[in-house]
PDB file of all heavy atoms in Angstrom:
ATOM      1  N   THR A   1       9.866  -5.260 -44.735  1.00  0.00           N
ATOM      2  CA  THR A   1       9.352  -4.324 -43.825  1.00  0.00           C
ATOM      3  C   THR A   1      10.394  -3.902 -42.825  1.00  0.00           C
ATOM      4  O   THR A   1      10.550  -2.711 -42.533  1.00  0.00           O
ATOM      5  CB  THR A   1       8.130  -4.873 -43.103  1.00  0.00           C
ATOM      6  OG1 THR A   1       7.140  -5.235 -44.076  1.00  0.00           O
ATOM      7  CG2 THR A   1       7.541  -3.883 -42.168  1.00  0.00           C
ATOM      8  N   LEU A   2      11.147  -4.843 -42.250  1.00  0.00           N
ATOM      9  CA  LEU A   2      12.166  -4.501 -41.278  1.00  0.00           C
ATOM     10  C   LEU A   2      13.287  -3.701 -41.858  1.00  0.00           C
ATOM     11  O   LEU A   2      13.767  -2.731 -41.220  1.00  0.00           O
ATOM     12  CB  LEU A   2      12.699  -5.810 -40.704  1.00  0.00           C
ATOM     13  CG  LEU A   2      11.815  -6.662 -39.794  1.00  0.00           C
ATOM     14  CD1 LEU A   2      12.466  -7.937 -39.306  1.00  0.00           C
ATOM     15  CD2 LEU A   2      11.441  -5.831 -38.533  1.00  0.00           C
ATOM     16  N   VAL A   3      13.695  -4.033 -42.972  1.00  0.00           N
ATOM     17  CA  VAL A   3      14.833  -3.289 -43.653  1.00  0.00           C
ATOM     18  C   VAL A   3      14.443  -1.901 -44.021  1.00  0.00           C
ATOM     19  O   VAL A   3      15.091  -0.899 -43.853  1.00  0.00           O
ATOM     20  CB  VAL A   3      15.410  -4.041 -44.800  1.00  0.00           C
ATOM     21  CG1 VAL A   3      16.442  -3.265 -45.523  1.00  0.00           C
ATOM     22  CG2 VAL A   3      16.023  -5.393 -44.431  1.00  0.00           C
ATOM     23  N   THR A   4      13.212  -1.794 -44.546  1.00  0.00           N
ATOM     24  CA  THR A   4      12.671  -0.494 -44.910  1.00  0.00           C
ATOM     25  C   THR A   4      12.578   0.425 -43.677  1.00  0.00           C
ATOM     26  O   THR A   4      12.919   1.632 -43.757  1.00  0.00           O
ATOM     27  CB  THR A   4      11.311  -0.580 -45.593  1.00  0.00           C
ATOM     28  OG1 THR A   4      11.436  -1.446 -46.718  1.00  0.00           O
ATOM     29  CG2 THR A   4      10.712   0.756 -46.004  1.00  0.00           C
ATOM     30  N   ASN A   5      12.078  -0.155 -42.601  1.00  0.00           N
ATOM     31  CA  ASN A   5      11.921   0.659 -41.356  1.00  0.00           C
ATOM     32  C   ASN A   5      13.295   1.037 -40.803  1.00  0.00           C
ATOM     33  O   ASN A   5      13.539   2.188 -40.300  1.00  0.00           O
ATOM     34  CB  ASN A   5      11.173  -0.113 -40.321  1.00  0.00           C
ATOM     35  CG  ASN A   5       9.672  -0.235 -40.680  1.00  0.00           C
ATOM     36  OD1 ASN A   5       9.158   0.552 -41.410  1.00  0.00           O
ATOM     37  ND2 ASN A   5       9.019  -1.171 -40.026  1.00  0.00           N
ATOM     38  N   TYR A   6      14.273   0.131 -41.003  1.00  0.00           N
ATOM     39  CA  TYR A   6      15.698   0.422 -40.500  1.00  0.00           C
ATOM     40  C   TYR A   6      16.254   1.525 -41.269  1.00  0.00           C
ATOM     41  O   TYR A   6      16.921   2.423 -40.754  1.00  0.00           O
ATOM     42  CB  TYR A   6      16.487  -0.858 -40.634  1.00  0.00           C
ATOM     43  CG  TYR A   6      17.934  -0.626 -40.428  1.00  0.00           C
ATOM     44  CD1 TYR A   6      18.513  -0.379 -39.112  1.00  0.00           C
ATOM     45  CD2 TYR A   6      18.829  -0.568 -41.500  1.00  0.00           C
ATOM     46  CE1 TYR A   6      19.805  -0.148 -38.993  1.00  0.00           C
ATOM     47  CE2 TYR A   6      20.148  -0.364 -41.320  1.00  0.00           C
ATOM     48  CZ  TYR A   6      20.717  -0.096 -40.043  1.00  0.00           C
ATOM     49  OH  TYR A   6      22.002   0.065 -39.848  1.00  0.00           O
ATOM     50  N   LYS A   7      16.110   1.602 -42.592  1.00  0.00           N
ATOM     51  CA  LYS A   7      16.570   2.590 -43.425  1.00  0.00           C
ATOM     52  C   LYS A   7      15.954   3.973 -43.080  1.00  0.00           C
ATOM     53  O   LYS A   7      16.624   4.981 -43.128  1.00  0.00           O
ATOM     54  CB  LYS A   7      16.391   2.352 -44.893  1.00  0.00           C
ATOM     55  CG  LYS A   7      17.263   1.214 -45.423  1.00  0.00           C
ATOM     56  CD  LYS A   7      17.046   1.010 -46.937  1.00  0.00           C
ATOM     57  CE  LYS A   7      17.992  -0.065 -47.476  1.00  0.00           C
ATOM     58  NZ  LYS A   7      17.842  -0.192 -48.906  1.00  0.00           N
ATOM     59  N   LYS A   8      14.674   3.972 -42.758  1.00  0.00           N
ATOM     60  CA  LYS A   8      14.049   5.218 -42.329  1.00  0.00           C
ATOM     61  C   LYS A   8      14.560   5.766 -41.031  1.00  0.00           C
ATOM     62  O   LYS A   8      14.957   6.849 -40.868  1.00  0.00           O
ATOM     63  CB  LYS A   8      12.506   5.047 -42.283  1.00  0.00           C
ATOM     64  CG  LYS A   8      11.864   4.844 -43.669  1.00  0.00           C
ATOM     65  CD  LYS A   8      10.379   4.591 -43.504  1.00  0.00           C
ATOM     66  CE  LYS A   8       9.735   4.376 -44.856  1.00  0.00           C
ATOM     67  NZ  LYS A   8       8.243   4.236 -44.686  1.00  0.00           N
ATOM     68  N   ASP A   9      14.610   4.872 -40.074  1.00  0.00           N
ATOM     69  CA  ASP A   9      15.038   5.295 -38.699  1.00  0.00           C
ATOM     70  C   ASP A   9      15.241   3.942 -37.946  1.00  0.00           C
ATOM     71  O   ASP A   9      14.319   3.191 -37.633  1.00  0.00           O
ATOM     72  CB  ASP A   9      13.977   6.061 -38.050  1.00  0.00           C
ATOM     73  CG  ASP A   9      14.437   6.595 -36.632  1.00  0.00           C
ATOM     74  OD1 ASP A   9      15.628   6.237 -36.260  1.00  0.00           O
ATOM     75  OD2 ASP A   9      13.694   7.311 -35.950  1.00  0.00           O
ATOM     76  N   PRO A  10      16.511   3.585 -37.581  1.00  0.00           N
ATOM     77  CA  PRO A  10      16.794   2.396 -36.800  1.00  0.00           C
ATOM     78  C   PRO A  10      16.029   2.348 -35.490  1.00  0.00           C
ATOM     79  O   PRO A  10      15.757   1.201 -34.996  1.00  0.00           O
ATOM     80  CB  PRO A  10      18.321   2.469 -36.517  1.00  0.00           C
ATOM     81  CG  PRO A  10      18.807   3.429 -37.588  1.00  0.00           C
ATOM     82  CD  PRO A  10      17.769   4.389 -37.916  1.00  0.00           C
ATOM     83  N   LYS A  11      15.587   3.423 -34.928  1.00  0.00           N
ATOM     84  CA  LYS A  11      14.804   3.385 -33.711  1.00  0.00           C
ATOM     85  C   LYS A  11      13.407   2.922 -33.879  1.00  0.00           C
ATOM     86  O   LYS A  11      12.730   2.498 -32.891  1.00  0.00           O
ATOM     87  CB  LYS A  11      14.784   4.754 -33.072  1.00  0.00           C
ATOM     88  CG  LYS A  11      16.065   5.351 -32.642  1.00  0.00           C
ATOM     89  CD  LYS A  11      15.984   6.742 -31.992  1.00  0.00           C
ATOM     90  CE  LYS A  11      17.358   7.200 -31.512  1.00  0.00           C
ATOM     91  NZ  LYS A  11      17.197   8.591 -30.976  1.00  0.00           N
ATOM     92  N   LEU A  12      13.018   2.828 -35.044  1.00  0.00           N
ATOM     93  CA  LEU A  12      11.666   2.183 -35.351  1.00  0.00           C
ATOM     94  C   LEU A  12      11.562   0.747 -35.040  1.00  0.00           C
ATOM     95  O   LEU A  12      10.493   0.227 -34.835  1.00  0.00           O
ATOM     96  CB  LEU A  12      11.191   2.474 -36.818  1.00  0.00           C
ATOM     97  CG  LEU A  12      10.935   3.932 -37.261  1.00  0.00           C
ATOM     98  CD1 LEU A  12      10.658   3.962 -38.707  1.00  0.00           C
ATOM     99  CD2 LEU A  12       9.785   4.486 -36.505  1.00  0.00           C
ATOM    100  N   LEU A  13      12.769   0.129 -34.991  1.00  0.00           N
ATOM    101  CA  LEU A  13      12.796  -1.325 -34.617  1.00  0.00           C
ATOM    102  C   LEU A  13      12.728  -1.558 -33.184  1.00  0.00           C
ATOM    103  O   LEU A  13      12.637  -2.711 -32.707  1.00  0.00           O
ATOM    104  CB  LEU A  13      14.068  -2.018 -35.176  1.00  0.00           C
ATOM    105  CG  LEU A  13      14.211  -1.879 -36.775  1.00  0.00           C
ATOM    106  CD1 LEU A  13      15.446  -2.553 -37.162  1.00  0.00           C
ATOM    107  CD2 LEU A  13      13.064  -2.525 -37.522  1.00  0.00           C
ATOM    108  N   ASP A  14      12.903  -0.567 -32.390  1.00  0.00           N
ATOM    109  CA  ASP A  14      12.825  -0.642 -30.921  1.00  0.00           C
ATOM    110  C   ASP A  14      11.375  -0.827 -30.413  1.00  0.00           C
ATOM    111  O   ASP A  14      10.478  -0.212 -30.997  1.00  0.00           O
ATOM    112  CB  ASP A  14      13.501   0.480 -30.220  1.00  0.00           C
ATOM    113  CG  ASP A  14      14.947   0.455 -30.398  1.00  0.00           C
ATOM    114  OD1 ASP A  14      15.510  -0.592 -30.591  1.00  0.00           O
ATOM    115  OD2 ASP A  14      15.610   1.553 -30.344  1.00  0.00           O
ATOM    116  N   THR A  15      11.143  -1.518 -29.429  1.00  0.00           N
ATOM    117  CA  THR A  15       9.804  -1.560 -28.789  1.00  0.00           C
ATOM    118  C   THR A  15       9.764  -0.566 -27.644  1.00  0.00           C
ATOM    119  O   THR A  15      10.660  -0.582 -26.668  1.00  0.00           O
ATOM    120  CB  THR A  15       9.506  -2.928 -28.183  1.00  0.00           C
ATOM    121  OG1 THR A  15       9.638  -3.866 -29.269  1.00  0.00           O
ATOM    122  CG2 THR A  15       8.217  -3.048 -27.593  1.00  0.00           C
ATOM    123  N   SER A  16       8.926   0.480 -27.712  1.00  0.00           N
ATOM    124  CA  SER A  16       8.941   1.475 -26.710  1.00  0.00           C
ATOM    125  C   SER A  16       8.510   0.961 -25.427  1.00  0.00           C
ATOM    126  O   SER A  16       7.623   0.047 -25.251  1.00  0.00           O
ATOM    127  CB  SER A  16       7.908   2.597 -27.208  1.00  0.00           C
ATOM    128  OG  SER A  16       6.645   2.120 -27.186  1.00  0.00           O
ATOM    129  N   GLU A  17       8.984   1.563 -24.327  1.00  0.00           N
ATOM    130  CA  GLU A  17       8.638   1.216 -22.964  1.00  0.00           C
ATOM    131  C   GLU A  17       7.143   1.411 -22.641  1.00  0.00           C
ATOM    132  O   GLU A  17       6.485   0.726 -21.954  1.00  0.00           O
ATOM    133  CB  GLU A  17       9.575   1.871 -21.934  1.00  0.00           C
ATOM    134  CG  GLU A  17      10.971   1.478 -22.046  1.00  0.00           C
ATOM    135  CD  GLU A  17      11.806   2.267 -20.979  1.00  0.00           C
ATOM    136  OE1 GLU A  17      11.248   2.990 -20.264  1.00  0.00           O
ATOM    137  OE2 GLU A  17      13.045   2.005 -21.091  1.00  0.00           O
ATOM    138  N   GLU A  18       6.648   2.531 -23.249  1.00  0.00           N
ATOM    139  CA  GLU A  18       5.216   2.808 -22.989  1.00  0.00           C
ATOM    140  C   GLU A  18       4.358   1.828 -23.548  1.00  0.00           C
ATOM    141  O   GLU A  18       3.366   1.399 -22.945  1.00  0.00           O
ATOM    142  CB  GLU A  18       4.905   4.146 -23.694  1.00  0.00           C
ATOM    143  CG  GLU A  18       3.438   4.635 -23.434  1.00  0.00           C
ATOM    144  CD  GLU A  18       3.192   5.954 -24.099  1.00  0.00           C
ATOM    145  OE1 GLU A  18       4.145   6.529 -24.615  1.00  0.00           O
ATOM    146  OE2 GLU A  18       2.051   6.396 -24.062  1.00  0.00           O
ATOM    147  N   ASP A  19       4.733   1.221 -24.786  1.00  0.00           N
ATOM    148  CA  ASP A  19       3.828   0.217 -25.423  1.00  0.00           C
ATOM    149  C   ASP A  19       3.903  -1.103 -24.505  1.00  0.00           C
ATOM    150  O   ASP A  19       2.934  -1.801 -24.443  1.00  0.00           O
ATOM    151  CB  ASP A  19       4.301  -0.105 -26.769  1.00  0.00           C
ATOM    152  CG  ASP A  19       3.966   1.049 -27.773  1.00  0.00           C
ATOM    153  OD1 ASP A  19       3.092   1.853 -27.402  1.00  0.00           O
ATOM    154  OD2 ASP A  19       4.632   1.139 -28.805  1.00  0.00           O
ATOM    155  N   GLU A  20       5.104  -1.402 -23.994  1.00  0.00           N
ATOM    156  CA  GLU A  20       5.294  -2.637 -23.234  1.00  0.00           C
ATOM    157  C   GLU A  20       4.464  -2.521 -21.908  1.00  0.00           C
ATOM    158  O   GLU A  20       3.800  -3.435 -21.500  1.00  0.00           O
ATOM    159  CB  GLU A  20       6.751  -2.833 -22.815  1.00  0.00           C
ATOM    160  CG  GLU A  20       7.607  -3.211 -24.055  1.00  0.00           C
ATOM    161  CD  GLU A  20       9.069  -3.350 -23.720  1.00  0.00           C
ATOM    162  OE1 GLU A  20       9.333  -3.103 -22.505  1.00  0.00           O
ATOM    163  OE2 GLU A  20       9.787  -3.765 -24.484  1.00  0.00           O
ATOM    164  N   ARG A  21       4.467  -1.284 -21.343  1.00  0.00           N
ATOM    165  CA  ARG A  21       3.676  -1.136 -20.139  1.00  0.00           C
ATOM    166  C   ARG A  21       2.208  -1.283 -20.329  1.00  0.00           C
ATOM    167  O   ARG A  21       1.413  -1.902 -19.654  1.00  0.00           O
ATOM    168  CB  ARG A  21       3.919   0.193 -19.468  1.00  0.00           C
ATOM    169  CG  ARG A  21       5.276   0.335 -18.811  1.00  0.00           C
ATOM    170  CD  ARG A  21       5.412   1.502 -17.920  1.00  0.00           C
ATOM    171  NE  ARG A  21       5.120   2.850 -18.574  1.00  0.00           N
ATOM    172  CZ  ARG A  21       6.027   3.569 -19.165  1.00  0.00           C
ATOM    173  NH1 ARG A  21       7.302   3.117 -19.066  1.00  0.00           N
ATOM    174  NH2 ARG A  21       5.694   4.620 -19.778  1.00  0.00           N
ATOM    175  N   ASP A  22       1.761  -0.671 -21.540  1.00  0.00           N
ATOM    176  CA  ASP A  22       0.318  -0.731 -21.860  1.00  0.00           C
ATOM    177  C   ASP A  22      -0.084  -2.172 -22.225  1.00  0.00           C
ATOM    178  O   ASP A  22      -1.234  -2.550 -21.937  1.00  0.00           O
ATOM    179  CB  ASP A  22       0.066   0.166 -23.074  1.00  0.00           C
ATOM    180  CG  ASP A  22       0.183   1.717 -22.698  1.00  0.00           C
ATOM    181  OD1 ASP A  22       0.101   1.951 -21.439  1.00  0.00           O
ATOM    182  OD2 ASP A  22       0.387   2.554 -23.543  1.00  0.00           O
ATOM    183  N   ASP A  23       0.799  -2.931 -22.839  1.00  0.00           N
ATOM    184  CA  ASP A  23       0.471  -4.265 -23.255  1.00  0.00           C
ATOM    185  C   ASP A  23       0.291  -5.198 -21.970  1.00  0.00           C
ATOM    186  O   ASP A  23      -0.414  -6.154 -21.907  1.00  0.00           O
ATOM    187  CB  ASP A  23       1.489  -4.904 -24.126  1.00  0.00           C
ATOM    188  CG  ASP A  23       1.507  -4.289 -25.495  1.00  0.00           C
ATOM    189  OD1 ASP A  23       0.352  -3.665 -25.835  1.00  0.00           O
ATOM    190  OD2 ASP A  23       2.423  -4.360 -26.202  1.00  0.00           O
ATOM    191  N   ASP A  24       1.099  -4.847 -20.861  1.00  0.00           N
ATOM    192  CA  ASP A  24       1.075  -5.671 -19.634  1.00  0.00           C
ATOM    193  C   ASP A  24      -0.180  -5.332 -18.832  1.00  0.00           C
ATOM    194  O   ASP A  24      -0.587  -6.137 -17.954  1.00  0.00           O
ATOM    195  CB  ASP A  24       2.296  -5.416 -18.829  1.00  0.00           C
ATOM    196  CG  ASP A  24       3.551  -5.891 -19.496  1.00  0.00           C
ATOM    197  OD1 ASP A  24       3.387  -6.842 -20.309  1.00  0.00           O
ATOM    198  OD2 ASP A  24       4.673  -5.432 -19.146  1.00  0.00           O
ATOM    199  N   GLU A  25      -0.780  -4.188 -19.045  1.00  0.00           N
ATOM    200  CA  GLU A  25      -1.972  -3.813 -18.314  1.00  0.00           C
ATOM    201  C   GLU A  25      -3.172  -4.598 -18.739  1.00  0.00           C
ATOM    202  O   GLU A  25      -3.444  -4.610 -19.988  1.00  0.00           O
ATOM    203  CB  GLU A  25      -2.273  -2.287 -18.391  1.00  0.00           C
ATOM    204  CG  GLU A  25      -1.143  -1.470 -17.728  1.00  0.00           C
ATOM    205  CD  GLU A  25      -1.416   0.070 -17.934  1.00  0.00           C
ATOM    206  OE1 GLU A  25      -2.426   0.361 -18.582  1.00  0.00           O
ATOM    207  OE2 GLU A  25      -0.683   0.839 -17.359  1.00  0.00           O
ATOM    208  N   ASP A  26      -3.976  -5.116 -17.909  1.00  0.00           N
ATOM    209  CA  ASP A  26      -5.163  -5.820 -18.283  1.00  0.00           C
ATOM    210  C   ASP A  26      -6.377  -5.020 -17.760  1.00  0.00           C
ATOM    211  O   ASP A  26      -6.806  -5.285 -16.643  1.00  0.00           O
ATOM    212  CB  ASP A  26      -5.151  -7.203 -17.662  1.00  0.00           C
ATOM    213  CG  ASP A  26      -6.281  -8.103 -18.129  1.00  0.00           C
ATOM    214  OD1 ASP A  26      -6.981  -7.639 -19.070  1.00  0.00           O
ATOM    215  OD2 ASP A  26      -6.518  -9.067 -17.503  1.00  0.00           O
ATOM    216  N   ASP A  27      -6.796  -4.100 -18.582  1.00  0.00           N
ATOM    217  CA  ASP A  27      -7.926  -3.237 -18.210  1.00  0.00           C
ATOM    218  C   ASP A  27      -9.298  -3.715 -18.703  1.00  0.00           C
ATOM    219  O   ASP A  27     -10.233  -3.000 -18.722  1.00  0.00           O
ATOM    220  CB  ASP A  27      -7.632  -1.809 -18.633  1.00  0.00           C
ATOM    221  CG  ASP A  27      -7.374  -1.654 -20.074  1.00  0.00           C
ATOM    222  OD1 ASP A  27      -7.420  -2.691 -20.787  1.00  0.00           O
ATOM    223  OD2 ASP A  27      -7.118  -0.545 -20.559  1.00  0.00           O
ATOM    224  N   GLY A  28      -9.264  -4.919 -19.333  1.00  0.00           N
ATOM    225  CA  GLY A  28     -10.571  -5.460 -19.818  1.00  0.00           C
ATOM    226  C   GLY A  28     -10.945  -4.969 -21.189  1.00  0.00           C
ATOM    227  O   GLY A  28     -11.906  -5.431 -21.740  1.00  0.00           O
ATOM    228  N   ARG A  29     -10.114  -4.158 -21.772  1.00  0.00           N
ATOM    229  CA  ARG A  29     -10.359  -3.688 -23.140  1.00  0.00           C
ATOM    230  C   ARG A  29      -9.568  -4.438 -24.158  1.00  0.00           C
ATOM    231  O   ARG A  29      -8.446  -4.865 -23.883  1.00  0.00           O
ATOM    232  CB  ARG A  29     -10.013  -2.174 -23.288  1.00  0.00           C
ATOM    233  CG  ARG A  29     -10.951  -1.288 -22.593  1.00  0.00           C
ATOM    234  CD  ARG A  29     -10.467   0.213 -22.715  1.00  0.00           C
ATOM    235  NE  ARG A  29      -9.117   0.403 -22.219  1.00  0.00           N
ATOM    236  CZ  ARG A  29      -8.456   1.469 -22.475  1.00  0.00           C
ATOM    237  NH1 ARG A  29      -8.975   2.457 -23.177  1.00  0.00           N
ATOM    238  NH2 ARG A  29      -7.194   1.636 -22.010  1.00  0.00           N
ATOM    239  N   PRO A  30      -9.995  -4.665 -25.384  1.00  0.00           N
ATOM    240  CA  PRO A  30      -9.305  -5.403 -26.359  1.00  0.00           C
ATOM    241  C   PRO A  30      -8.160  -4.653 -26.805  1.00  0.00           C
ATOM    242  O   PRO A  30      -8.057  -3.343 -26.594  1.00  0.00           O
ATOM    243  CB  PRO A  30     -10.335  -5.551 -27.586  1.00  0.00           C
ATOM    244  CG  PRO A  30     -11.324  -4.536 -27.297  1.00  0.00           C
ATOM    245  CD  PRO A  30     -11.435  -4.321 -25.871  1.00  0.00           C
ATOM    246  N   ALA A  31      -7.091  -5.268 -27.450  1.00  0.00           N
ATOM    247  CA  ALA A  31      -5.867  -4.604 -27.895  1.00  0.00           C
ATOM    248  C   ALA A  31      -6.144  -3.504 -28.825  1.00  0.00           C
ATOM    249  O   ALA A  31      -5.500  -2.525 -28.791  1.00  0.00           O
ATOM    250  CB  ALA A  31      -4.937  -5.632 -28.478  1.00  0.00           C
ATOM    251  N   ARG A  32      -7.122  -3.647 -29.694  1.00  0.00           N
ATOM    252  CA  ARG A  32      -7.383  -2.594 -30.651  1.00  0.00           C
ATOM    253  C   ARG A  32      -7.898  -1.390 -29.996  1.00  0.00           C
ATOM    254  O   ARG A  32      -7.617  -0.249 -30.369  1.00  0.00           O
ATOM    255  CB  ARG A  32      -8.440  -3.123 -31.672  1.00  0.00           C
ATOM    256  CG  ARG A  32      -8.735  -2.128 -32.766  1.00  0.00           C
ATOM    257  CD  ARG A  32      -9.769  -2.728 -33.744  1.00  0.00           C
ATOM    258  NE  ARG A  32      -9.210  -3.887 -34.421  1.00  0.00           N
ATOM    259  CZ  ARG A  32      -9.887  -4.636 -35.274  1.00  0.00           C
ATOM    260  NH1 ARG A  32     -11.099  -4.274 -35.662  1.00  0.00           N
ATOM    261  NH2 ARG A  32      -9.264  -5.682 -35.806  1.00  0.00           N
ATOM    262  N   SER A  33      -8.750  -1.412 -28.921  1.00  0.00           N
ATOM    263  CA  SER A  33      -9.241  -0.303 -28.263  1.00  0.00           C
ATOM    264  C   SER A  33      -8.168   0.404 -27.512  1.00  0.00           C
ATOM    265  O   SER A  33      -8.125   1.692 -27.382  1.00  0.00           O
ATOM    266  CB  SER A  33     -10.343  -0.796 -27.252  1.00  0.00           C
ATOM    267  OG  SER A  33     -11.453  -1.357 -27.999  1.00  0.00           O
ATOM    268  N   ARG A  34      -7.182  -0.399 -26.880  1.00  0.00           N
ATOM    269  CA  ARG A  34      -6.067   0.275 -26.214  1.00  0.00           C
ATOM    270  C   ARG A  34      -5.260   1.063 -27.159  1.00  0.00           C
ATOM    271  O   ARG A  34      -4.789   2.169 -26.777  1.00  0.00           O
ATOM    272  CB  ARG A  34      -5.302  -0.844 -25.537  1.00  0.00           C
ATOM    273  CG  ARG A  34      -6.065  -1.491 -24.314  1.00  0.00           C
ATOM    274  CD  ARG A  34      -5.082  -2.245 -23.417  1.00  0.00           C
ATOM    275  NE  ARG A  34      -4.326  -3.184 -24.068  1.00  0.00           N
ATOM    276  CZ  ARG A  34      -4.654  -4.500 -24.164  1.00  0.00           C
ATOM    277  NH1 ARG A  34      -5.819  -4.832 -23.657  1.00  0.00           N
ATOM    278  NH2 ARG A  34      -3.844  -5.351 -24.779  1.00  0.00           N
ATOM    279  N   ARG A  35      -5.029   0.484 -28.354  1.00  0.00           N
ATOM    280  CA  ARG A  35      -4.186   1.279 -29.333  1.00  0.00           C
ATOM    281  C   ARG A  35      -4.851   2.491 -29.800  1.00  0.00           C
ATOM    282  O   ARG A  35      -4.210   3.515 -29.987  1.00  0.00           O
ATOM    283  CB  ARG A  35      -3.835   0.333 -30.532  1.00  0.00           C
ATOM    284  CG  ARG A  35      -2.852  -0.781 -30.192  1.00  0.00           C
ATOM    285  CD  ARG A  35      -2.296  -1.362 -31.490  1.00  0.00           C
ATOM    286  NE  ARG A  35      -3.374  -2.044 -32.269  1.00  0.00           N
ATOM    287  CZ  ARG A  35      -3.749  -3.239 -32.189  1.00  0.00           C
ATOM    288  NH1 ARG A  35      -3.128  -4.087 -31.349  1.00  0.00           N
ATOM    289  NH2 ARG A  35      -4.651  -3.762 -32.974  1.00  0.00           N
ATOM    290  N   ARG A  36      -6.229   2.427 -29.905  1.00  0.00           N
ATOM    291  CA  ARG A  36      -6.892   3.600 -30.383  1.00  0.00           C
ATOM    292  C   ARG A  36      -6.936   4.673 -29.334  1.00  0.00           C
ATOM    293  O   ARG A  36      -6.752   5.846 -29.555  1.00  0.00           O
ATOM    294  CB  ARG A  36      -8.413   3.205 -30.702  1.00  0.00           C
ATOM    295  CG  ARG A  36      -9.159   4.368 -31.323  1.00  0.00           C
ATOM    296  CD  ARG A  36     -10.564   3.991 -31.526  1.00  0.00           C
ATOM    297  NE  ARG A  36     -10.662   2.970 -32.593  1.00  0.00           N
ATOM    298  CZ  ARG A  36     -11.064   1.736 -32.352  1.00  0.00           C
ATOM    299  NH1 ARG A  36     -11.377   1.389 -31.114  1.00  0.00           N
ATOM    300  NH2 ARG A  36     -11.135   0.867 -33.342  1.00  0.00           N
TER     301      ARG A  36
END
């Protein structure tokens, strides 16, 4: 999976700052609801 993503676009292996901020927020919703 990692190598396939790297071949498509090396940036896919980066963790976006927006996702990190959203993961740090504790708004009482489960992770699946936040991703949706």
Side-chain angles (χ1 to χ4, degrees):
T1 301
L2 288 175
V3 174
T4 302
N5 291 338
Y6 169 76
K7 288 183 176 181
K8 291 180 180 178
D9 185 0
K11 294 182 179 179
L12 292 176
L13 300 181
D14 290 335
T15 301
S16 65
E17 296 180 359
E18 181 181 356
D19 291 339
E20 291 179 355
R21 289 196 302 269
D22 291 338
D23 290 338
D24 293 336
E25 295 177 356
D26 186 12
D27 55 2
R29 293 179 297 170
R32 182 177 300 176
S33 299
R34 294 199 300 269
R35 289 197 296 270
R36 185 182 295 112

